Amino acid sequence: MSTEQKNLQEIIKFRLEKLDKIKAAGFNPYSYNYNKVDHIADIIHKGEKSVGSFVKTAGRMVSFRKMGKASFTHVQDNESKIQVYLKNDLLPENIYDSIVRNLDLGDIIGVSGELFITKTGELSIKADDLTILSKNIRPLPNLKEKDGEAFNAFEDKELRYRHRQLDLIANPEIKSIFKKRAKIISTVRAFLDTNGYIEVETPVLQTVYGGASARPFTTHHNTLDQSFYLRIADELYLKRLIIGGFEKVYELAKNFRNEGMDRNHNPEYTSLEYYQAYSDVFEMMDFTENLFRDTADKTGELKFEYSGHTIDLSKPFKRKSMFDLLEEYCGADVSSMDTDALKKLAKEKSLEIEDDLNYGQVLDKIFGELIEPHLIDPVFVTDYPKAISPLAKEDRNGNLDIVERFELFICKTEFANAFSELNDPLEQRRRLESQAKLRELGDEEAQIVDENFLQAMETGMPPTGGVGIGIDRLVMLLTQQQSIKDVILFPAMRTED
RNA sequence: GACUCCGUAGCUCAGCUGGUAGAGCAGUGGCCUUUUAAGCCAUUGGUCGUGCGUUCGAAUCGCACCGGAGUCACCA
């Protein structure tokens, strides 16, 4: 969209002329500060009881009706909006002619005055003074509305995401999603903090990326003349802290994955990982369940509708083995099948399976296609194949093909992934070396041998339980949003032009 | 990456069986000292996402490209 559009240029030109008129009259159209005494929501909240009292507030003009020597405007602040009556006679000398006549939709003003009820019954401020705080020179989207319903609503998703500030002005209810996001994050932090966890920060720029199976972003440091990767996970560094003697650590920060984008994936996303020494995946299951329940409870409701399903986080989360689920939904005992038998099963269920997939990949595929769509109520799925879990400990009961791992599913979506963390340095080395072989065979997402990590583990890592949670998805669930773009203020977009 | 849909004025949209672009809001000028989608009168504004093609003629038909949304595939 060109910025050279003549109509837009003309609107801007007229606003610049008004700006000059305000300056010429001796007023600064871009003030340094304003003593905003009252929040509009507080004024509205008091309602008719406040009539006759004097208030002083500020906000953005979102409606403007001029009638010669008097005007009405609605001023919108962080949480609410109120009508302001601007009357020539009631304002100080020169304010009406020099400022009010040069105001536009989108200007930010400060006003003071007495509260009254208009003829049509709306609580309003009868302005006895007005200060212009910021002059708008670029028009806002249409803000016409009646009874809270917008006409010509600003709902083009591309414009809303690219120009989020306009979205927040035109659709102020969107702010509640991001306020809730902030509350979810602070509640999660508080939960971990009160349970003795220490929040840490580990490198975003990594020379060897690891801790997950994904393709990274690559960048370059000039002074070191060396490539760096933006982290795909913070797992390996957090384990080094466990080895160093922190017994409970967590990091709540962004990861970056150079992969597909859709309503569940943004290239940069917020992840939470927490690790507890001397623990295992089963204890972490209890803890994670409590974390989810506590967060939902303190930020909203435990029971809600999402994607057409009723989700109830107050009930105990189910716990099921992947093999039991496969038996339940496929009617086949998969536990004794080898890779070929699994492939045969997949083909019977008319899944497309590439020939070069290994045991774990086939099982994962079958699970994703045939089981995940059934997982509505919260369920911890356990017993994952070792081949797709290179950082998890083998099953303690002697099944060498599976590991101690869970993924938490709610409403068909994965929310958490956890292991009894592998702490045997020799086994860890074998696992990463076998990943390296997969990589040589062309698996771009296979993990890399991180020698520093392996040396750290050789120092001795206590048994540890670790969990990763996709925070954006948690926010989606608890705010009932269907797209990750609606819980990220500035989702990744291709550049225009 | 594949498929489907979308892209016309600052915003929301109409026009699309091809005949050379319209509305509402916003803007501008005027009237208006309790309006609220304020009203009344007048009025500005668009190389119809970009390019190529078909045609006497393209916003409209075709192809390619750019951008977006949705669905699917892989990853959280």
PDB file of all heavy atoms in Angstrom, chain A residues 48-59:
ATOM      1  N   GLU A  48     -23.795   7.848  38.485  1.00  0.00           N
ATOM      2  CA  GLU A  48     -24.553   9.079  38.771  1.00  0.00           C
ATOM      3  C   GLU A  48     -24.178   9.697  40.109  1.00  0.00           C
ATOM      4  O   GLU A  48     -24.382  10.887  40.322  1.00  0.00           O
ATOM      5  CB  GLU A  48     -26.059   8.783  38.726  1.00  0.00           C
ATOM      6  CG  GLU A  48     -26.521   8.415  37.323  1.00  0.00           C
ATOM      7  CD  GLU A  48     -28.038   8.461  37.173  1.00  0.00           C
ATOM      8  OE1 GLU A  48     -28.713   8.879  38.150  1.00  0.00           O
ATOM      9  OE2 GLU A  48     -28.530   8.082  36.103  1.00  0.00           O
ATOM     10  N   LYS A  49     -23.636   8.861  40.993  1.00  0.00           N
ATOM     11  CA  LYS A  49     -23.229   9.390  42.296  1.00  0.00           C
ATOM     12  C   LYS A  49     -22.175  10.486  42.148  1.00  0.00           C
ATOM     13  O   LYS A  49     -22.026  11.332  43.022  1.00  0.00           O
ATOM     14  CB  LYS A  49     -22.642   8.254  43.161  1.00  0.00           C
ATOM     15  CG  LYS A  49     -23.696   7.346  43.766  1.00  0.00           C
ATOM     16  CD  LYS A  49     -23.036   6.253  44.611  1.00  0.00           C
ATOM     17  CE  LYS A  49     -22.355   5.245  43.705  1.00  0.00           C
ATOM     18  NZ  LYS A  49     -21.738   4.125  44.441  1.00  0.00           N
ATOM     19  N   SER A  50     -21.435  10.431  41.052  1.00  0.00           N
ATOM     20  CA  SER A  50     -20.326  11.371  40.903  1.00  0.00           C
ATOM     21  C   SER A  50     -20.765  12.691  40.260  1.00  0.00           C
ATOM     22  O   SER A  50     -19.958  13.602  40.128  1.00  0.00           O
ATOM     23  CB  SER A  50     -19.230  10.725  40.072  1.00  0.00           C
ATOM     24  OG  SER A  50     -19.754  10.362  38.810  1.00  0.00           O
ATOM     25  N   VAL A  51     -22.007  12.776  39.850  1.00  0.00           N
ATOM     26  CA  VAL A  51     -22.484  14.002  39.210  1.00  0.00           C
ATOM     27  C   VAL A  51     -22.264  15.187  40.146  1.00  0.00           C
ATOM     28  O   VAL A  51     -22.559  15.125  41.339  1.00  0.00           O
ATOM     29  CB  VAL A  51     -23.985  13.880  38.840  1.00  0.00           C
ATOM     30  CG1 VAL A  51     -24.560  15.242  38.466  1.00  0.00           C
ATOM     31  CG2 VAL A  51     -24.155  12.897  37.695  1.00  0.00           C
ATOM     32  N   GLY A  52     -21.711  16.247  39.591  1.00  0.00           N
ATOM     33  CA  GLY A  52     -21.447  17.433  40.397  1.00  0.00           C
ATOM     34  C   GLY A  52     -20.008  17.499  40.877  1.00  0.00           C
ATOM     35  O   GLY A  52     -19.517  18.576  41.221  1.00  0.00           O
ATOM     36  N   SER A  53     -19.320  16.360  40.883  1.00  0.00           N
ATOM     37  CA  SER A  53     -17.917  16.405  41.307  1.00  0.00           C
ATOM     38  C   SER A  53     -17.034  16.781  40.114  1.00  0.00           C
ATOM     39  O   SER A  53     -17.438  16.674  38.956  1.00  0.00           O
ATOM     40  CB  SER A  53     -17.501  15.062  41.905  1.00  0.00           C
ATOM     41  OG  SER A  53     -17.626  14.044  40.943  1.00  0.00           O
ATOM     42  N   PHE A  54     -15.830  17.210  40.443  1.00  0.00           N
ATOM     43  CA  PHE A  54     -14.905  17.656  39.404  1.00  0.00           C
ATOM     44  C   PHE A  54     -13.842  16.588  39.148  1.00  0.00           C
ATOM     45  O   PHE A  54     -13.345  15.968  40.090  1.00  0.00           O
ATOM     46  CB  PHE A  54     -14.248  18.974  39.815  1.00  0.00           C
ATOM     47  CG  PHE A  54     -15.177  20.151  39.654  1.00  0.00           C
ATOM     48  CD1 PHE A  54     -16.153  20.416  40.607  1.00  0.00           C
ATOM     49  CD2 PHE A  54     -15.102  20.959  38.531  1.00  0.00           C
ATOM     50  CE1 PHE A  54     -17.033  21.481  40.453  1.00  0.00           C
ATOM     51  CE2 PHE A  54     -15.975  22.030  38.369  1.00  0.00           C
ATOM     52  CZ  PHE A  54     -16.942  22.291  39.333  1.00  0.00           C
ATOM     53  N   VAL A  55     -13.542  16.377  37.875  1.00  0.00           N
ATOM     54  CA  VAL A  55     -12.545  15.360  37.517  1.00  0.00           C
ATOM     55  C   VAL A  55     -11.527  15.959  36.561  1.00  0.00           C
ATOM     56  O   VAL A  55     -11.761  17.004  35.945  1.00  0.00           O
ATOM     57  CB  VAL A  55     -13.204  14.128  36.856  1.00  0.00           C
ATOM     58  CG1 VAL A  55     -14.122  13.409  37.834  1.00  0.00           C
ATOM     59  CG2 VAL A  55     -13.952  14.517  35.593  1.00  0.00           C
ATOM     60  N   LYS A  56     -10.404  15.262  36.467  1.00  0.00           N
ATOM     61  CA  LYS A  56      -9.355  15.678  35.533  1.00  0.00           C
ATOM     62  C   LYS A  56      -8.774  14.401  34.926  1.00  0.00           C
ATOM     63  O   LYS A  56      -8.267  13.541  35.635  1.00  0.00           O
ATOM     64  CB  LYS A  56      -8.272  16.454  36.290  1.00  0.00           C
ATOM     65  CG  LYS A  56      -7.230  17.075  35.381  1.00  0.00           C
ATOM     66  CD  LYS A  56      -6.300  17.988  36.177  1.00  0.00           C
ATOM     67  CE  LYS A  56      -5.312  18.672  35.236  1.00  0.00           C
ATOM     68  NZ  LYS A  56      -4.322  19.473  35.975  1.00  0.00           N
ATOM     69  N   THR A  57      -8.900  14.278  33.628  1.00  0.00           N
ATOM     70  CA  THR A  57      -8.459  13.034  33.002  1.00  0.00           C
ATOM     71  C   THR A  57      -7.889  13.311  31.616  1.00  0.00           C
ATOM     72  O   THR A  57      -7.837  14.464  31.166  1.00  0.00           O
ATOM     73  CB  THR A  57      -9.627  12.019  32.949  1.00  0.00           C
ATOM     74  OG1 THR A  57      -9.116  10.744  32.587  1.00  0.00           O
ATOM     75  CG2 THR A  57     -10.697  12.455  31.955  1.00  0.00           C
ATOM     76  N   ALA A  58      -7.479  12.249  30.945  1.00  0.00           N
ATOM     77  CA  ALA A  58      -6.861  12.412  29.631  1.00  0.00           C
ATOM     78  C   ALA A  58      -7.036  11.143  28.817  1.00  0.00           C
ATOM     79  O   ALA A  58      -7.207  10.058  29.369  1.00  0.00           O
ATOM     80  CB  ALA A  58      -5.373  12.737  29.778  1.00  0.00           C
ATOM     81  N   GLY A  59      -6.990  11.307  27.522  1.00  0.00           N
ATOM     82  CA  GLY A  59      -7.111  10.143  26.649  1.00  0.00           C
ATOM     83  C   GLY A  59      -7.192  10.569  25.190  1.00  0.00           C
ATOM     84  O   GLY A  59      -6.996  11.736  24.855  1.00  0.00           O
TER      85      GLY A  59
END
